[in-house]
Amino acid sequence: MSALNEPTIAAGMAPKAVAGGLFLVLMATGALGGALLGAVLGGSAAAMLADGLDLGQVRDRASFVVTAALIGAPTGLAAALWPILRARRPRRTGLHASLAIAAWAGLGGFAFHAFAFSATTTPPPLTPLLLVEVRVSSGTGTPLGEDGTALSIHSRAEGRDASGMKVAKDAGGRDVVHGSFPMSSLMPVDWVRLQRRGKPEIRFSLNLPSDPPSTADFTQWLAADRAVPGAEDRRDETVEMRFRIDRRVLR
């Protein structure tokens, strides 16, 4: 009798085992997908908030986004498991309530984290930026930019090359080199130097303090220092410079 019932019992257990296995797969897939989605949504929301408020430097924003993603991962996991367990185990109200509380707690944690970031993170500082344009008018010789052109600023103690430099032509066909220099709070700018291969350096005295006020526009074109050896002998060439002071956020 018992021997005849064994196949029936085995056949009845097989569908339950398959259903249980599928349910575990669904749970694992839902948990992983929810955690990934929560991390992506949390990090993306944090990045948009940081950009919209324009707070902090790159390191501050990266820390805010990573923390938000870490909060979003368990929040998404709890939110994804809640409907699966509710549909599969409708009587386990305690487990459902725990998952719902975890999801809402995660949302509350994200809101608190965003508020703390907004309240404690200062706007990025504005850095004084010296913008320089040097115009060269010459009928002969190698065009500017093809002769080892270098633009730098100097104090009595140190010098610094341009962080961004490009060469273009103005409306009159003259070569113009554009340079930008982030200014240090410890370094005044005594002069600007233009160097080219095989030619004497040309200086423009400025005597700017380390933290000058911003200017609305460029100055008038200024003549080069004539005390530089050899510069006064180049009558076929006119070199002029103008500058302005801007303040920008440098990241």
Side-chain angles (χ1 to χ4, degrees):
M1 184 70 175
S2 59
L4 293 175
N5 289 336
E6 286 181 0
T8 304
I9 295 173
M13 292 179 60
K16 292 183 179 181
V18 172
L22 291 176
F23 177 67
L24 291 177
V25 172
L26 179 61
M27 287 278 290
T29 303
L32 179 60
L36 290 176
L37 182 61
V40 171
L41 291 177
S44 299
M48 289 189 292
L49 180 63
D51 288 340
L53 297 177
D54 195 20
L55 296 175
Q57 295 283 23
V58 174
R59 183 176 60 182
D60 303 322
R61 296 188 178 198
S63 176
F64 177 52
V65 169
V66 170
T67 304
L70 293 177
I71 295 173
T75 303
L77 185 148
L81 290 182
W82 182 81
I84 298 175
L85 288 174
R86 186 178 175 85
R88 182 68 178 178
R89 301 285 191 266
R91 295 182 180 180
R92 295 188 178 181
T93 56
L95 181 58
H96 303 158
S98 298
L99 290 173
I101 291 172
W104 283 109
L107 291 176
F110 176 82
F112 177 80
H113 179 53
F115 173 77
F117 175 80
S118 304
T120 61
T121 307
T122 58
L126 295 176
T127 301
L129 199 66
L130 174 62
L131 305 178
V132 173
E133 292 184 354
V134 178
R135 182 172 67 183
V136 178
S137 174
S138 177
T140 60
T142 305
L144 198 66
E146 299 179 11
D147 57 357
T149 302
L151 198 61
S152 57
I153 58 174
H154 296 263
S155 69
R156 302 297 176 185
E158 62 177 318
R160 183 184 304 167
D161 294 332
S163 61
M165 193 185 78
K166 64 178 182 178
V167 179
K169 288 187 178 294
D170 65 5
R174 290 165 293 195
D175 292 323
V176 180
V177 55
H178 305 260
S180 61
F181 302 89
M183 300 184 66
S184 168
S185 60
L186 301 177
M187 177 184 171
V189 179
D190 295 323
W191 68 86
V192 175
R193 183 177 70 179
L194 174 69
Q195 284 184 297
R196 292 169 293 170
R197 189 182 305 114
K199 297 182 181 180
E201 70 172 33
I202 296 179
R203 292 187 182 185
F204 299 88
S205 295
L206 289 185
N207 298 319
L208 291 175
S210 58
D211 189 15
S214 301
T215 58
D217 204 348
F218 280 94
T219 63
Q220 299 295 321
W221 290 102
L222 307 175
D225 296 351
R226 294 305 177 186
V228 178
E232 66 275 7
D233 297 332
R234 299 196 58 80
R235 303 184 182 279
D236 61 332
E237 181 178 78
T238 301
V239 184
E240 301 169 299
M241 184 206 70
R242 64 179 184 175
F243 70 93
R244 64 170 294 193
I245 307 297
D246 198 3
R247 290 182 181 270
R248 301 178 186 174
V249 175
L250 300 181
R251 301 191 185 280

